[in-house]
Amino acid sequence: MKNEKQLIKIFERINGRGYKSYNDIKGIYDFEFFTLHIDHVQRDPFAGPSLIRITTGSKSFPEELIKTDNQRIAVSDYIGRKFNESVEKHSDNKMGSGKSGLIHIDSGGPEILDRTSVNISPEELEIRFSVGLPASGRRILGGKAKILFSDMIPVMVRDSCIYQNICPEDLLEHVLIHEDSEFLRQKLKEMGLVAFVRDGALLPRESGVSEKTLNNGVPFKSPETLKISLNTPNHGVVTGMGIPEGVTIIVGGGYHGKSTLLNAVERGIYNHRYGDGREMVVTDPKAVKIRAEDGRRIENVDISSFIHNPPLNKDTSKFSSENASGSTSQAANIIEALEVGADLLLFDEDTSATNFMIRDERMQKLVSNDKEPITPFIDRVKELKNEHEISTIMVMGGSGDYFEVADTVIMMDNFIPYDVTERAMEVRKEIPINRKIETSSKFRYNNRCPVSGCIKPFKGKKLKLDVRGKTKIMIGQELVDLLQVEQIVDTSQTRAIAYTMNYISSKYINGKLSMDQLMKKLNKDIETYGLDVLAPRGRRYPNNIAKPRIFEVAAALNRLRTFKVKGCQ
Ligand SMILES: Nc1ncnc2c1ncn2[C@@H]1O[C@H](COP(=O)(O)OP(=O)(O)O)[C@@H](O)[C@H]1O
Ligand SMILES: [Mg+2]
């Protein structure tokens, strides 16, 4: 192993030369209190930046803070944020041309996710980040490189990787909140709940495109009848609203906070960091948001429980479309989620197809059942609960028909929830309706086996797996749109999904394993080998992927234009 002095010598030697000479710095260097690994050197100042790792002992961190996987995820997350803060304070991205001087670490947004940028274990702490090596045009700026590596990076490491230099109370709270959120989520099942919203939580965001907490939002306050008290390991008794299993309807006037509550429930599959407002707002980890998504592709999905005998008589038990309608896309989204194990479905009337959700008494009279291919969700929702143990939470401000099937009715009034279940049942009696349940067969969903070779990650001979922001993945020749897969929260998850396509394609997809089996294998591999296992060859130490759920991985597969399955079982 070389040392810091030798690295500086190289910088002096290659100063003023062509960019290619930066290749000479590839290698491992011993610094005063850490080891520097230069794994990849960029081709020019405008290319993807160089990849750097720092390894150092983790001994300065208290052992009891890094015992469990959950603790290690939270501590790693915290260190990444601290490193990033230090980058913002000390780095200088005007060191030269292109990305010269730019340092980037994948440090995340409001959620605490398992990600590859920081890895702490009782033995070692590893930080992965990227650096733009400084140059003027294509000429190496050795002096600047020396400042970057000898002055700046050590400060960033010092600020984030040494326990004595960070605020211990702050870190502790970060870990404790994460642990308690996990605890609460695990409690849900045994309490017969599907979600828990903590009293005092701040759910609204600054705007539709911002994840920042809205200032002066009305804090959440549970109705007495739904209030649950739980004794958490770290924060004592925590109270909040427990949403029971079954069918829950969220009603209320427009702008009273219905969608905001549902969004918080949607995001409750992730833990939020201290200060976000949604800490300890937790949801069943198998919750999937379902929406209409016209235009998406569908590949051999059995949507016959919702759509049957459409004009032109397509067989809807093996329904495919290059350009699905609102209702068929929503039906497919449900079946595909159930296929990989979803047990809580979330709907918002704002993003649902009306004809998929409801079909009222008058319409049943006017348009007879044999002329309507759609069996609305209202006719399946009870069956899903009773026979398949699948719960539903739905925002439905526009139709009282759902009172017929609801177990719990929550009304949002000026951002405060009220339990109006009893009142809704009275209204049901006062204004009886005679709509009929129009199901002719039992609810069913299929289990498809992707055929080998249907994922095509190569463009010519080159592996192409990339992202365009959070909502699109490039895979081979294809751009896959994930804009409406709403529970992806981080570009690093999207990138992991892109990698996953390649991983399961080369490793498991063989025409015999079902979607569910594939996803189980994937999860098991991530659990056993860590997220790094997903990285394609040549990217041995990925520095910017975060763990996606299998539901979002499956969603991406289902949206590939090349995706092909055969039915099994
Ligand atoms: N607790 C709250 N405090 C303050 N503003 C809120 C709160 N909840 C929601 N809002 C804001 O009120 C507006 C309407 O909320 P939304 O959830 O979209 O209502 P709905 O779905 O009932 O029409 C949004 O701009 C949202 O940010
Ligand atoms: Mg709304």
Side-chain angles (χ1 to χ4, degrees), residues 7 10-11 13-26 29 41-44 133 138-140:
L7 179 63
I10 305 179
F11 287 141
R13 177 164 57 76
I14 62 177
N15 182 37
R17 288 202 203 164
Y19 208 84
K20 234 184 173 161
S21 295
Y22 262 136
N23 259 329
D24 296 0
I25 67 169
K26 225 168 152 177
Y29 301 88
V41 174
Q42 67 206 95
R43 269 179 293 114
D44 62 63
L133 297 172
R138 292 187 49 85
R139 224 156 262 296
I140 289 175

Side-chain angles (χ1 to χ4, degrees), residues 503-521:
Y503 180 77
I504 56 174
S505 164
S506 62
K507 194 145 187 220
Y508 292 123
I509 291 184
N510 60 2
K512 294 194 190 85
L513 292 170
S514 67
M515 287 290 277
D516 187 40
Q517 290 167 324
L518 285 171
M519 295 303 122
K520 288 207 170 98
K521 283 195 179 292

Side-chain angles (χ1 to χ4, degrees), residues 258-259 348 350 395:
K258 303 184 298 296
S259 296
D348 193 326
D350 294 351
V395 170

Side-chain angles (χ1 to χ4, degrees), residues 8 57 68 86 135 154 170 217 248 254 287 299 313 345 419 477 545 557 563:
I8 291 167
T68 66
S86 187
D170 211 29
T248 300
E299 163 69 12
N313 243 333
L345 304 177
D419 180 358
Q477 307 262 27
I545 60 176
L557 266 174
F563 188 53

Side-chain angles (χ1 to χ4, degrees), residues 201-207 214-220 251-261 263 348-350 395 412 414-416:
L202 293 170
L203 309 184
R205 302 293 101 189
E206 224 172 41
S207 76
L214 176 76
N215 279 333
N216 306 320
V218 178
F220 190 83
V251 302
Y255 306 105
H256 279 265
K258 303 184 298 296
S259 296
T260 303
L261 172 59
N263 285 338
D348 193 326
E349 60 185 351
D350 294 351
V395 170
M412 293 305 289
N414 279 304
F415 313 128
I416 301 286

Side-chain angles (χ1 to χ4, degrees), residues 324-341:
S325 70
S327 54
T328 49
S329 62
Q330 196 155 5
N333 283 346
I334 293 175
I335 302 295
E336 289 166 348
L338 299 183
E339 183 180 26
V340 288

